[in-house]
Amino acid sequence: MTSLFLGLKFLFIPNSKAGVSKIRQKLAVDHGAQICSAFGETSTTHVLVDTKVVLTANTEALIRTLKKLGLRDIAKTNVPVVGQEWLVQCVSKSELLPTANYTIDLARPSAKKRKVSSLRKAESRPIVDTTLEPGEKVLDSPNQTSVDVLNEMAEQHRINGEAYKVKAYRNAIDTLQRVSTPVTSYSQAIQLEGVGPAIAKKIEEISRTHHLRQLDVSKGSRHTQLMKLFKGIYGVGTVIAKKWIDEGMTSLDDIKNRTDLTDAQRLGLQYYDEWNERIPRSECTIHAEYVQYMLNRVDPLIEATIGGSYRRGAKTCGDIDFIVTKPDATMEALQADMDNLIDTIKQAGYLQCILHHHVKNKLLTGCSLPPLWNKKVDGQGEEWGKCRRVDFLLVPWKELGAAMIYFTGDDEFNKKLRYRAQKHGMVLNGTGLYKIVRDGSKERHELVESFDEKKIMSLLNVKWHEPEQRNTGVFDIAWNG
Ligand code: DCT
Ligand code: MG
C-alpha cells in the first residue's frame, strides 16, 4: 500500500473486473488510485488500456469503446490514454512516470486512412536547434505564442495540483523553445520529443486560432479559482485546498471560522494580501541593509546576502531569502548568533511573526521595516512597512558555495545541476558536491568541494552561469515586467 496514485482516477479498458484487468485494478487501488466505471469528463485522470487485449492499431474501435463509456469528444479531451504497462512500470519503480512513452495515439488514423493522408502535401519537419541545451531558447522563437499559452495551461494545472500534467507541459515547452521553425500542425508537433498527442493537438489549435479553448474553461472554472484562493494561504497545499473545496468552503471567511487551522495557516490568513504580493526589488535591498545593520550589532563579522530570485536579478521577489554566514563559522556558532539576532529584531519591532523554527538552520518569518527605514522605500510618512515573508538560512562558512548555488536556484536549474552530478557519479546538495565511493557493497560520499561556487560548476563540467543566467523556470512572472 502506497499513495503513489493518490488523487488519480483510472478508467480501465477493457472495463471488466476479471482476469488480468482485475489484478491491475487491485494494484492501482493498493497504491491509492480510484477506479472509474465510466469516463468522467472532469474526474477521470487516465485511461489505461490493456494493449494485449485491445488492438491499439485499430484506433477506430478503441475510440468507439471510449465513446460508449462516456468520452464525448476525443479531440477535446486532455486525459492521457495509455497502455497499462505505464501502471506496472510506475509501481515497479515507485515513481509516477511521464505518460508520454506509453501514450496510445488516438489521433493517428489507422492504416486505411493513413494512406490517404500520406498523399497530402508533405509538411516540413520541425527543426530543433541542437546547439541549445535543455532549458535554453532560440532567439525570436516562431512558436512564442504556443509557448506562452502552454505555459499558462501548465500554470492552471499547477494550481490544481496536477504535477504529472505540469511535467508533461514543461517537457513539451522545453523542446518547443528550441525549435527554430514554425510548428503549426498536429503532425509536426507530434514529431517533437516530449510532445504527446494531447499537447500536439493544443499546439495546432493555438497556431490556428491564437487561442486555446481549454485554457478559458480552466481559468473560468470555479474549482480552479477556489484552488488558487486557498493555496494563496501560507501553509496550504493542494491536498488541503481540495479537501476544503470538497467540504463546501467557498471563501476565506469560511476558512477563518475553521477550528483546525495550524498557527502558520492563521498567519497566512492574517497576511493574505501582503504575502501574495510580490516585493519590489528596491524594497528587498532596504531589508538587506537593515538586517545587515542589525546583525552587525550582534557580531560585526556576520554577513547576510539575499539569494533566491533577488540574486537572479528579479525585479520583484516572492519572499526575501537571506543566507547568513560568517568567516570560519560553524553551524553552532551561527546558531548562537541567530538567537541573539531573533531577540534584537523582535525588540526593534522588525520581526512580526515566526512561521517555522523547527529545523535548526532555518528561520521562516514575517517582518516589517520600521518607519525610518520604510521611509527609504516610499520616501514618505512615519508608517511601518508591509509585512514581508523573510527567511534566514544559516550556512557554515565552509559550505558557502554549495549553499549559494542551492539557495540561488531557480529550482529547475538546481535540478539540472543535481542530475549532472549524478551522471558524473557524484551527489550535489546544499552542503557540498560529493563523490560516490563504493567499498564493496557499501557506499559513502566523499566531499569534493563545498566552498567555491565556481569550482563546483566547473567540476560538474558546466560553464559558469551568472545568477541572472539561472532563470529557467517557466512560471517566473518577475521576468515579464
Ligand atoms: N529551491 C529549490 N527547490 C525548491 C524550492 C526552492 O532548489 N523546490 C531553492 C531555489 C530557490 C531558493 O530555494 C529559494 O526558493 P523560493 O524563495 O521559493 O524561490 P525564488 O526562486 O526565490 O522565487 P520567489 O521570487 O518566488 O521567492
Ligand atoms: Mg524567494
Side-chain angles (χ1 to χ4, degrees):
M1 293 286 275
T2 73
S3 55
L4 181 63
F5 300 129
L6 202 66
L8 302 185
K9 293 190 180 166
F10 297 162
L11 173 65
F12 277 77
I13 310 274
N15 200 14
S16 74
K17 294 212 164 48
V20 175
S21 207
K22 186 178 161 191
I23 298 168
R24 297 228 173 112
Q25 291 188 25
K26 182 171 180 308
L27 192 66
V29 171
D30 283 348
H31 290 85
Q34 282 175 273
I35 309 293
C36 321
S37 54
F39 189 88
E41 298 285 352
T42 53
S43 58
T44 303
T45 59
H46 294 75
V47 175
L48 302 185
V49 180
D50 185 340
T51 49
K52 292 228 171 68
V53 177
V54 178
L55 196 60
T56 50
N58 186 352
T59 49
E60 277 86 351
L62 184 53
I63 290 170
R64 272 199 303 278
T65 310
L66 282 167
K67 275 194 177 151
K68 263 191 220 153
L69 287 167
L71 176 61
R72 273 174 300 179
D73 188 347
I74 201 88
K76 279 192 195 149
T77 185
N78 196 28
V79 175
V81 178
V82 297
Q84 287 174 10
E85 296 80 341
W86 173 76
L87 170 93
V88 177
Q89 287 300 320
C90 287
V91 172
S92 84
K93 298 205 167 125
S94 304
E95 181 190 355
L96 212 51
L97 299 168
T99 51
N101 292 340
Y102 303 87
T103 304
I104 296 165
D105 182 6
L106 290 176
R108 185 193 60 190
S110 48
K112 216 165 66 189
K113 281 195 183 166
R114 206 162 38 230
K115 238 184 187 167
V116 181
S117 60
S118 67
L119 289 175
R120 274 195 231 144
K121 194 166 116 311
E123 273 174 320
S124 56
R125 278 182 76 86
I127 297 170
V128 179
D129 185 337
T130 50
T131 62
L132 299 175
E133 286 195 29
E136 294 184 329
K137 311 163 188 181
V138 293
L139 284 175
D140 291 329
S141 165
N143 301 301
Q144 197 56 46
T145 308
S146 293
V147 167
D148 291 345
V149 176
L150 293 180
N151 262 329
E152 279 197 72
M153 206 54 232
E155 172 64 0
Q156 295 296 307
H157 289 306
R158 191 188 63 78
I159 293 167
N160 284 312
E162 295 158 326
Y164 61 98
K165 286 192 185 171
V166 176
K167 205 165 170 198
Y169 275 91
R170 281 197 171 204
N171 289 341
I173 291 165
D174 189 57
T175 308
L176 196 56
Q177 280 178 331
R178 285 180 285 132
V179 177
S180 55
T181 52
V183 180
T184 56
S185 70
Y186 176 89
S187 58
Q188 285 176 322
I190 197 74
Q191 296 175 43
L192 297 171
E193 192 191 319
V195 176
I199 294 181
K201 267 180 230 158
K202 293 189 176 69
I203 293 174
E204 179 169 295
E205 182 184 335
I206 299 163
S207 160
R208 239 187 16 239
T209 64
H210 296 281
H211 206 74
L212 186 64
R213 280 161 304 167
Q214 197 195 336
L215 181 61
D216 300 336
V217 173
S218 175
K219 276 184 171 170
S221 118
R222 180 98 181 108
H223 186 267
T224 310
Q225 284 167 0
L226 284 179
M227 285 297 282
K228 197 171 175 183
L229 182 73
F230 294 160
K231 282 172 87 175
I233 302 170
Y234 182 88
V236 177
T238 302
V239 176
I240 295 175
K242 271 192 184 145
K243 176 170 165 267
W244 287 349
I245 295 172
D246 288 345
E247 288 172 11
M249 307 274 121
T250 59
S251 67
L252 292 182
D253 280 335
D254 286 349
I255 304 298
K256 276 180 196 148
N257 293 325
R258 294 187 70 100
T259 53
D260 60 351
L261 298 179
T262 63
D263 292 343
Q265 288 163 352
R266 287 231 166 272
L267 289 164
L269 275 170
Q270 185 184 341
Y271 295 112
Y272 189 87
D273 293 334
E274 279 148 295
W275 290 357
N276 276 296
E277 179 184 290
R278 293 187 69 85
I279 311 164
R281 184 180 182 83
S282 54
E283 183 180 335
C284 296
T285 309
I286 308 295
H287 279 262
E289 285 173 18
Y290 177 78
V291 165
Q292 187 63 57
Y293 169 78
M294 288 314 236
L295 278 172
N296 286 352
R297 286 186 173 188
V298 175
D299 184 330
L301 293 176
I302 304 187
E303 294 166 16
T305 315
I306 310 181
S309 51
Y310 181 88
R311 186 161 181 247
R312 301 197 309 275
K315 293 190 177 105
T316 64
C317 302
D319 60 3
I320 304 175
D321 304 293
F322 279 113
I323 294 157
V324 180
T325 191
K326 182 165 85 171
D328 297 326
T330 60
M331 184 60 89
E332 289 70 31
L334 290 166
Q335 270 157 3
D337 286 333
M338 197 66 194
D339 291 340
N340 287 334
L341 175 73
I342 293 176
D343 288 345
T344 316
I345 59 178
K346 212 185 246 172
Q347 271 174 25
Y350 178 66
L351 183 68
Q352 302 293 310
C353 58
I354 293 182
L355 283 158
H356 188 77
H357 195 192
H358 298 314
V359 205
K360 284 196 170 157
N361 62 342
K362 236 184 203 177
L363 174 69
L364 312 184
T365 72
C367 290
S368 300
L369 285 172
L372 268 181
W373 290 77
N374 190 41
K375 212 170 175 175
K376 300 186 187 191
V377 177
D378 62 12
Q380 55 183 328
E382 294 298 302
E383 300 270 311
W384 280 80
K386 288 184 182 171
C387 182
R388 302 301 196 186
R389 282 276 302 102
V390 180
D391 294 345
F392 298 90
L393 310 148
L394 304 191
V395 175
W397 182 250
K398 276 191 199 149
E399 298 170 6
L400 190 56
M404 272 294 186
I405 289 184
Y406 179 79
F407 291 119
T408 299
D410 60 18
D411 50 353
E412 285 299 314
F413 182 79
N414 285 350
K415 260 190 230 163
K416 280 182 190 141
L417 285 188
R418 287 198 293 266
Y419 179 68
R420 208 34 111 106
Q422 236 177 30
K423 284 212 302 200
H424 284 73
M426 296 193 270
V427 171
L428 175 70
N429 60 33
T431 67
L433 177 66
Y434 303 84
K435 195 164 126 194
I436 304 174
V437 183
R438 293 206 167 80
D439 287 338
S441 62
K442 278 193 198 144
E443 197 181 281
R444 63 192 165 77
H445 294 170
E446 205 172 76
L447 182 68
V448 181
E449 178 60 46
S450 61
F451 182 71
D452 189 330
E453 200 177 357
K454 286 195 171 146
K455 219 165 170 179
I456 292 175
M457 282 200 202
S458 112
L459 283 161
L460 290 172
N461 229 345
V462 174
K463 70 175 189 319
W464 169 248
H465 282 65
E466 292 295 340
E468 293 82 4
Q469 295 171 319
R470 304 182 200 172
N471 293 292
T472 65
V474 284
F475 304 124
D476 203 339
I477 53 166
W479 300 93
N480 299 330

